[in-house]
Amino acid sequence: MPTLRQWEYLVTVVELGSFTRAAESLHVTQPALSHQLRTLERAVGGTLLERLPRLVSPTPLGRAVLPHARAALADAERALCAARRAAGLEEGELEVATVYSVGIGVLPTVLRTWRLRHPDVRIRLREHRHADQLRDAMLAGEADIAVGPRPRDWEGTLYELDTEEFVVVAARDDPATSRADRDGIDLSHLADRDWIHYAQGNGLADVVDSACAAAGFRPRPAVRTEQSAAAPVLAASGLGVALVPANILPREFDGAVLRPKPAITRTLAAYTRHDPDPLTTAFLRVLREWRSEGALSR
């Protein structure tokens, strides 16, 4: 397969009309230049250049491949420029993978800050139902960086961001509010209640089941929802109680919010398969700023 370097040699010889001048322009020896062009001719199956007394001219085969050689070199130059612009954070695209709840609870403020600083760098957001799916997607190379629950057995680069807190939500007149004290509510006091649960396969369903099991009961679902943002809304409407990440609650949430005791938390992390490139590093910088300001959890 011809290399870009060989195409560059061909184009330079044709443009300068001389092996000697081409070798000088390319900073290679003339024997090395001739060797690479012979290798190129073997690859394409014919003679590309004709040595005339005072000029080197392309053969018919050479004239046929020259436009493609120039196009390949131009494409390579455009790719290089794009990479340089991306490295300088001037433009490009960053693929960010996450889970549903983090996508609505953490990333909006982070992405708003990113957009203000890097308006020409597009973000492609890939959302997953479960932390395991997020981890598998990263292993498969589907995104540049993942933001979500800390993955198990991750061998790449990982940065812990924050501890995500969960809260119990209910309608303001729900009986659960009378069972709480100043420190919050024991989940065992909600064993007889209907629950707003999450659809099977949603990672938050595992969080709810584990928390309730630790409190000695299995939650009785009144409604199962796929959408993380729907759970607090349904709970506030009086359909049951729900356990939700505190950071997904809107600022003007019209429901009761109770802290479970003991506290229910999980560690959030950002992780990549390898050392981050400049774009990913800049995104991590924004995440760390929000972490330091306490903005990733309420």
Side-chain angles (χ1 to χ4, degrees), residues 193-291:
R193 297 301 313 283
D194 288 336
W195 281 73
I196 307 302
H197 212 330
Y198 301 94
Q200 297 293 344
N202 185 312
L204 293 181
D206 294 347
V207 174
V208 172
D209 288 340
S210 296
C212 292
F217 70 97
R218 294 180 62 183
R220 185 175 67 225
V223 177
R224 283 189 181 270
T225 178
E226 181 70 43
Q227 300 300 322
S228 305
V233 176
L234 294 171
S237 71
L239 293 176
V241 297
L243 185 68
V244 306
N247 53 42
I248 75 169
L249 295 179
R251 295 191 179 277
E252 303 300 327
F253 179 62
D254 187 27
V257 180
L258 308 171
R259 294 182 182 277
K261 55 178 188 180
I264 299 170
T265 62
R266 66 178 178 179
T267 301
L268 297 183
Y271 54 99
T272 62
R273 290 178 301 280
H274 42 66
D275 290 339
D277 60 20
L279 276 181
T280 308
T281 298
F283 191 78
L284 280 166
R285 188 177 303 118
V286 175
L287 282 169
R288 286 167 170 166
E289 288 175 10
W290 281 100
R291 177 196 61 184

Side-chain angles (χ1 to χ4, degrees), residues 76-234:
E77 180 62 25
R78 283 192 291 270
L80 181 59
C81 289
R84 287 171 175 166
R85 286 194 297 269
L89 306 181
E90 296 174 9
E91 65 178 56
E93 181 175 88
L94 184 68
E95 295 193 341
V96 180
T98 189
V99 291
Y100 289 163
S101 61
V102 173
I104 61 173
V106 173
L107 289 183
T109 49
V110 172
L111 293 179
R112 182 166 58 246
T113 300
W114 174 266
R115 186 68 176 169
L116 290 172
R117 295 183 185 177
H118 311 291
D120 295 323
V121 179
R122 300 177 300 277
I123 295 289
R124 183 186 295 273
L125 194 60
R126 300 183 182 275
E127 298 171 279
H128 298 273
R129 303 173 72 204
H130 198 286
D132 288 346
Q133 294 176 350
L134 174 62
R135 178 182 180 276
D136 292 344
M138 281 300 294
L139 287 174
E142 295 179 8
D144 301 307
I145 184 171
V147 183
R150 183 184 175 108
R152 53 183 172 80
D153 303 325
W154 187 254
E155 296 183 356
T157 304
L158 184 143
Y159 306 88
E160 286 194 1
L161 296 175
D162 202 4
T163 298
E164 184 178 44
E165 179 185 3
F166 285 78
V167 293
V168 173
V169 295
R172 288 192 177 276
D173 59 353
D174 191 281
T177 59
S178 64
R179 302 178 185 180
D181 57 30
R182 294 178 59 182
D183 296 325
I185 189 168
D186 192 316
L187 287 192
S188 63
H189 294 163
L190 303 176
D192 61 343
R193 297 301 313 283
D194 288 336
W195 281 73
I196 307 302
H197 212 330
Y198 301 94
Q200 297 293 344
N202 185 312
L204 293 181
D206 294 347
V207 174
V208 172
D209 288 340
S210 296
C212 292
F217 70 97
R218 294 180 62 183
R220 185 175 67 225
V223 177
R224 283 189 181 270
T225 178
E226 181 70 43
Q227 300 300 322
S228 305
V233 176
L234 294 171

